[in-house]
Amino acid sequence: MASEELARKLQRRLRLEEAEEGGPQPAAPAAPAPEPELEPAPPARAPTASADAELSAQLSRRLDINEGAARPRRCKVFNPYTEFPEFSRRLIKDLESMFKLYDAGRDGFIDLMELKLMMEKLGAPQTHLGLKSMIKEVDEDFDGKLSFREFLLIFHKAAAGELQEDSGLMALAKLSEIDVALEGVKGAKDFFEAKAQALSSASKFEAELKAEQDERKREEEERKLRQAAFKELKATFST
């Protein structure tokens, strides 16, 4: 009996060991999660076509200026009295009034059509090519129209004798005012001599006008003094 009981205990022991060996195996350690891939940095933005074209235009213009094929643009602030010191203030004012008269678009420029109307009004109509040639001769910024500075440049060139006698610009300078035409101006020199005489006459008129104003002012002061004296005398008799 003892041997049978011992045999059963051994068998039970074997079965327990077999059961433990066939049980679930310990889980393998989890694999580490893959690290997220970094997105590649975007490539540097290439310059746009418009930027390339603008830079190319600037470089081309700079080369033209260096080679004398183009004139540098002037400062936007324009003072006619300092840039054209040979012109009197009155003459510049007169030319400014004329410029504004034909600046129908009120944009500060006289374009081709406005110049065409001006020359027709002055009695010296020009062809289309003639008008373009007139603008081109003083067009410093190559915009195809006349600024006020370029308009004054016409008369500067006329005074300096830099215009052809039969050119459209010379005709504009000669016929810019009716009184100039009636005086029979011949050439730029006579034109500005006539203007100087007109300015001298105007100065004489201004002097006479000022003398009259001073005389009226003196009479007004004397009248006020007489009134003050009368009031003082009246107050004396009233007391």
Side-chain angles (χ1 to χ4, degrees):
M1 293 291 295
S3 59
E4 291 177 2
E5 184 178 358
L6 181 57
R8 285 195 301 270
K9 288 181 180 181
L10 290 174
Q11 290 177 356
R12 188 167 58 249
R13 179 74 182 205
L14 290 173
R15 286 196 296 268
L16 290 174
E17 291 179 357
E18 291 176 358
E20 290 178 0
E21 291 179 0
Q25 299 294 327
E35 296 182 0
E37 296 182 0
L38 297 177
E39 296 182 0
R45 181 177 298 177
T48 60
S50 59
D52 288 342
E54 182 179 357
L55 179 60
S56 176
Q58 291 178 355
L59 292 175
S60 297
R61 177 167 177 78
R62 175 54 57 188
L63 289 174
D64 290 342
I65 292 174
N66 293 339
E67 294 174 0
R71 299 168 183 163
R73 293 188 179 93
R74 292 185 172 267
C75 179
K76 292 182 179 180
V77 179
F78 165 57
N79 187 337
Y81 305 107
T82 57
E83 291 202 35
F84 296 91
E86 70 273 21
F87 294 164
S88 68
R89 296 181 67 88
R90 177 178 293 276
L91 176 58
I92 289 178
K93 288 292 185 182
D94 290 344
L95 294 175
E96 184 179 15
S97 298
M98 180 182 180
F99 181 85
K100 291 181 177 179
L101 177 65
Y102 291 100
D103 178 18
R106 298 294 184 267
D107 58 355
F109 297 94
I110 292 179
D111 60 22
L112 189 71
M113 294 306 297
E114 291 166 342
L115 181 61
K116 178 177 183 294
L117 177 62
M118 176 191 291
M119 298 307 294
E120 290 175 353
K121 291 289 186 180
L122 293 175
Q126 303 289 315
T127 64
H128 182 77
L129 291 178
L131 293 168
K132 293 181 69 174
S133 177
M134 290 174 63
I135 293 177
K136 184 178 180 180
E137 190 164 353
V138 292
D139 189 11
E140 293 186 319
D141 52 7
F142 307 103
D143 59 356
K145 51 190 176 182
L146 297 177
S147 65
F148 181 50
R149 185 186 187 284
E150 293 163 346
F151 185 71
L152 291 179
L153 193 59
I154 296 172
F155 298 89
H156 172 81
K157 285 178 174 288
E162 298 176 4
L163 299 178
Q164 295 292 332
E165 184 66 26
D166 58 349
S167 67
L169 292 183
M170 180 60 78
L172 191 158
K174 286 181 179 181
L175 304 175
S176 59
E177 290 184 356
I178 296 176
D179 60 342
V180 174
L182 293 178
E183 290 171 5
V185 176
K186 298 179 181 179
K189 185 173 181 294
D190 294 337
F191 170 79
F192 279 96
E193 287 178 354
K195 287 297 297 183
Q197 293 176 2
L199 289 174
S200 177
S201 299
S203 298
K204 182 178 179 181
F205 174 78
E206 287 181 351
E208 294 174 352
L209 182 61
K210 188 176 185 304
E212 292 179 2
Q213 292 174 345
D214 291 342
E215 179 66 19
R216 284 197 296 267
K217 184 178 180 181
R218 184 181 61 79
E219 292 176 354
E220 180 66 19
E221 290 176 351
E222 291 178 354
R223 185 180 64 82
K224 289 181 179 179
L225 288 175
R226 287 195 301 269
Q227 289 179 348
F230 176 77
K231 288 180 180 179
E232 184 178 355
L233 182 63
K234 184 178 179 181
T236 301
F237 282 100
S238 299
T239 56

